Amino acid sequence: MRKQLKFKNQVAELQHVNLFVEEICDELGLDMELQMNLNLALEEVVSNVIFYAYPEGTTADIELLAEYDGKVLTLVLSDQGKHFDPTAKEDPDPDVHPADRELGGMGIYIVKNIMNEVTYQRLEGRNLLTMKKEITETRQL
């Protein structure tokens, strides 16, 4: 399976990302818990691109590629926004009370805990965030 979604850097576009995830999960026969987790992970990383990758008022395209090889679902988020490696930030201590914690970093921490692997690279002026999730069970239709 290989699917691609192209959308604009606008908050309203998050609904398209959610529908894209739902479509993938339905096609692969994934359970609702995994679908909700994938939606959470993607909403977090896509929101970061929408809010922080481009100067305010700039409209740009974001691409999301999904591939499933029978064992691993790979999601690649691609944008031409400013260079930012979310994986470079040290993970926050989840045991520290939120009021005492430094701002930022919890989103990518959550993504790293949902996905099995999260990597970043900057290639030809594009941010590429690759997230992999091992799929142990599907109910292929």
Side-chain angles (χ1 to χ4, degrees):
M1 181 222 54
R2 179 183 169 95
K3 293 185 179 296
Q4 190 164 1
L5 177 68
K6 190 174 187 177
F7 55 98
K8 298 294 182 192
N9 62 328
Q10 298 167 349
V11 174
E13 297 285 305
L14 285 171
Q15 68 183 351
H16 298 296
V17 175
N18 288 337
L19 290 172
F20 183 71
V21 171
E22 185 177 317
E23 184 181 304
I24 290 166
C25 291
D26 285 348
E27 186 173 320
L28 297 178
L30 304 180
D31 66 32
M32 186 56 71
E33 181 180 2
L34 182 52
Q35 180 178 326
M36 290 174 62
N37 283 332
L38 291 172
N39 258 325
L40 175 61
L42 283 173
E43 191 168 307
E44 180 57 41
V45 295
V46 170
S47 294
N48 282 345
V49 172
I50 290 170
F51 290 119
Y52 305 115
Y54 298 95
E56 191 171 333
T58 302
T59 301
D61 290 324
I62 302 170
E63 295 177 14
L64 180 59
L65 173 67
E67 291 184 311
Y68 180 64
D69 65 5
K71 293 180 182 174
V72 176
L73 176 62
T74 301
L75 301 163
V76 180
L77 183 64
S78 172
D79 69 84
Q80 291 182 295
K82 65 181 174 184
H83 177 263
F84 177 69
D85 179 358
T87 66
K89 188 167 175 70
E90 190 173 315
D91 288 343
D93 183 348
D95 296 326
V96 172
H97 189 277
D100 299 328
R101 193 178 310 147
E102 191 178 313
L103 283 179
M106 279 308 291
I108 192 66
Y109 176 77
I110 291 168
V111 172
K112 287 179 186 176
N113 280 284
I114 290 171
M115 306 305 281
N116 296 101
E117 182 181 333
V118 180
T119 57
Y120 169 86
Q121 68 182 113
R122 179 82 176 182
L123 189 63
E124 297 176 2
R126 297 191 75 81
N127 294 303
L128 300 172
L129 186 66
T130 302
M131 299 160 284
K132 295 184 178 189
K133 182 68 177 174
E134 295 171 13
I135 307 296
T136 53
E137 286 187 38
T138 63
R139 47 177 211 281
Q140 293 292 339
L141 305 175

